[in-house]
Every structure is written in structure tokens, then in C-alpha cells.
Amino acid sequence: MAFNKSLAGYFDDVQHIGIPTDDMAKTIAFWEKLGFKKLGEFDTDNQGNEVIFMQYGHLTLEIWTGDGAVHETGAINHISLNTSDADAAFKAAKAEGFKLKDDEVQHLDFWDKGIKFFNIEGPNSETIEFCEIVK
């Protein structure tokens, strides 16, 4: 994706929806009952907290422990948009004046080569993540 100063040019789809849980087994069982399959599983802190990715068709969920579940309507933590260039998307978001929740592009060791991501805040305090699965 070429730099075009519009953040809209830096994502092509929803990548995942992030949901924190305080009961991973119960959460996995719920989504499996709806037909979701486990796609990936990662240790997040060497203290028993984990991230599970589950998928049904085109929809992927990121479910993790460690932050606790809110247990209220609207408790989804974030919506992630797929980008193939997190660095350029970050520059575009900054140039366009979006409210950035990160000072720089973040990195995690998920998947084979990791991910790069950053978050912006929407008008209702919602978090929108721009995530690149490094290839």
C-alpha cells in the first residue's frame, strides 16, 4: 500500500475482535459451541496468561486472560483492522491527526514472525487497532 496521507488506504478488512476473559475454558467452550475453531494459542507473560485466536468463516476473535472481563454490555476491548504496513499506517494516522493511543508501532511475538500494531481512539472512546501480521 502506497503512502497517500489517508489512513483509509492502509487497511483492507477487519482482522479480529478483541475480547478479554477471566475464564478461558468457559469462553472457548462458548465460542466452540457456536462453531468457532481454535486458530492459535500464545503465552503472553510466562505467568499463566494466554491469548487464543478462534475463527469461524471470515471472523477471527482474539481472546485473552490477564485483564479480566468487564461483564457489561459493550465489553469488547477493541476492533482490529488488517494492514500490510503498520509503519506507514501509523505515519498516516499521525499526519491525519487521529488520537493515537501508542507513541510508536508496537510488536508482539504472535504467529511465525510476530505482529506490528498501533491503536487509535474513536469518537466514543473505542479502541481501533491497526495490525500487521509480519510475513
Side-chain angles (χ1 to χ4, degrees):
M1 294 180 191
F3 184 72
N4 64 10
K5 295 195 182 214
S6 171
L7 186 55
Y10 285 99
F11 68 93
D12 57 11
D13 210 341
V14 171
Q15 186 179 90
H16 65 264
I17 297 171
I19 305 171
T21 184
D22 48 18
D23 188 336
M24 185 64 83
K26 182 178 177 181
T27 302
I28 290 171
F30 172 85
W31 289 104
E32 284 178 337
K33 193 172 182 178
L34 288 174
F36 282 74
K37 304 286 184 211
K38 195 183 298 183
L39 190 62
E41 184 171 352
F42 305 94
D43 181 354
T44 60
D45 62 6
N46 296 322
Q47 297 177 11
N49 290 309
E50 60 186 330
V51 172
I52 303 288
F53 288 87
M54 299 188 78
Q55 188 173 50
Y56 181 83
H58 183 69
L59 179 58
T60 301
L61 304 176
E62 174 190 28
I63 303 164
W64 70 92
T65 58
D67 289 335
V70 177
H71 294 284
E72 293 183 19
T73 300
I76 290 173
N77 178 271
H78 66 275
I79 297 172
S80 179
L81 301 176
N82 188 63
T83 183
S84 60
D85 191 342
D87 295 311
F90 182 81
K91 286 171 54 177
K94 195 171 186 177
E96 259 184 273
F98 282 96
K99 185 174 181 180
L100 297 166
K101 296 184 85 171
D102 301 297
D103 293 331
E104 60 187 20
V105 174
Q106 307 296 303
H107 303 262
L108 285 172
D109 293 330
F110 296 167
W111 308 114
D112 292 333
K113 296 183 180 178
I115 64 168
K116 296 165 66 172
F117 68 96
F118 68 93
N119 298 286
I120 64 172
E121 185 174 304
N124 304 295
S125 301
E126 65 272 29
T127 298
I128 299 97
E129 175 184 86
F130 288 78
C131 185
E132 172 187 354
I133 297 175
V134 180
K135 307 236 187 242

